[in-house]
Amino acid sequence: MMKRILVVDDEPDITTSIKNGLERKGFDVDAYNDPLKALESFEPGTYDLLLIDIRMPKMNGFELYREIKKKSENVKICFFTAFEVYYEEFKRVFPNLEVKCFIRKPITINDLVAHINTELAKN
Amino acid sequence: MIVQIQKTGEKKEVFYGSKSVPNTSEMHKQLELHNKIQEFINIANHEMKTPVQAILTYSELLQNGPERNRFVYIEAILRNARRLQKLSDNLLDITRIYGQTTGLKKEKFDLNALISYVIEDYRNPIENVDYGIKNIGIEFKPVCKIFVNADRDRLEQVISNLLDNALKFTQEGKISILVEKKEDNKAVVTISDTGRGWMLEFFLDYLQNLLRCQTVERD
């Protein structure tokens, strides 16, 4: 069965290219450039994994994840960012958010798929 | 102290502040400036990685995929390469400003003609794909010619940057440009938009940081 991925990034070139790249690798992908629209459309149980940018206008990736968690407690997430994110720093700022998957841009589709599969394989 | 690499590859030590032994207050200012520069580098790094990611993924799609979207992908690669070039030029400008090697090449030209020239690119929806297709009008109604003695390229860059910013943060409505001739032989350009604008606290914080940096440089 195809795994469903939600991609949220404010850059249209990123969502378009990543969506096309992941679809070629056999994923079913929905993509949004507006985090508020992504949140509004989010239905619990729809996605196997969220791939979310951190720095976005209107709502940053951490806030989006926190709001999505209110709708779906066990949803899996990888933050997809060009920023250097230090896990210890993240834990200090968001002690209640359990995230260990930070994927740094730029990345090839094959490496991205490897990260996604690793995350999907976790219980 | 910031170590700057010059074009020749030679290292140059640049002191921001007094050449005498700095006191605690000066050291604090230098440290703050250093942190601001570090923060700027982080943001610039982030801004550059985004087009690199787009170029990388579109190239992979072209390399491995069917031909039907070939033109769209090549256009996207070119667009992001141009974006990288612009970022690189801006970084170079900032290096020049800090190294105080920027000079103004003043000449006499019509300010309204320059603005009309700059906004032409932004009125073209094909050139405007960075921001998606938005229903935003650019209002500019020059009444007469206004000749100024200024650096044409730099002024074009400033207006272009302000328009870029206005377009990025305006979801709907319009961007208005007004040029006024003042009595003291000056011209004032006002660019306003119907976007969200800056939060007052953020704006004050930004201004404060800017003033602090300028004070340290003057010392």
Side-chain angles (χ1 to χ4, degrees), chain B residues 186-205:
Chain B
K186 283 181 182 169
V188 175
V189 180
T190 309
I191 299 180
S192 53
D193 62 59
T194 51
R196 286 185 304 155
W198 285 27
M199 278 162 62
L200 185 63
E201 298 83 3
F202 180 66
F203 183 65
L204 290 174
D205 187 44

Side-chain angles (χ1 to χ4, degrees), chain A residues 11-14 16-18 20-21 24 53 55 57-58 80-84 104-110, chain B residues 42-43 45-47 49-50 52-54 56-58 60-61 64-66 73 76 79-80 83 130 171 196:
Chain A
E11 292 285 341
D13 274 332
I14 299 292
T16 307
S17 59
I18 294 293
N20 287 350
R24 280 195 194 171
D53 184 24
R55 188 171 177 257
K58 296 185 187 177
F80 187 46
T81 179
F83 268 124
E84 292 285 337
R104 276 169 52 190
K105 297 172 189 169
I107 190 168
T108 62
I109 288 293
N110 282 343
Chain B
N42 283 340
I43 292 169
N45 183 36
H46 174 273
E47 292 297 310
K49 279 179 179 173
T50 302
V52 169
Q53 176 68 65
L56 182 66
T57 314
Y58 280 122
E60 282 183 287
L61 290 169
N64 306 320
Y73 294 162
R79 182 168 61 244
N80 282 282
R83 195 170 153 186
D130 277 358
Q171 300 306 317
R196 286 185 304 155

Side-chain angles (χ1 to χ4, degrees), chain B residues 121-132:
Chain B
D121 275 351
Y122 292 89
R123 281 186 170 146
N124 181 350
I126 297 164
E127 289 293 324
N128 202 7
V129 281
D130 277 358
Y131 311 104

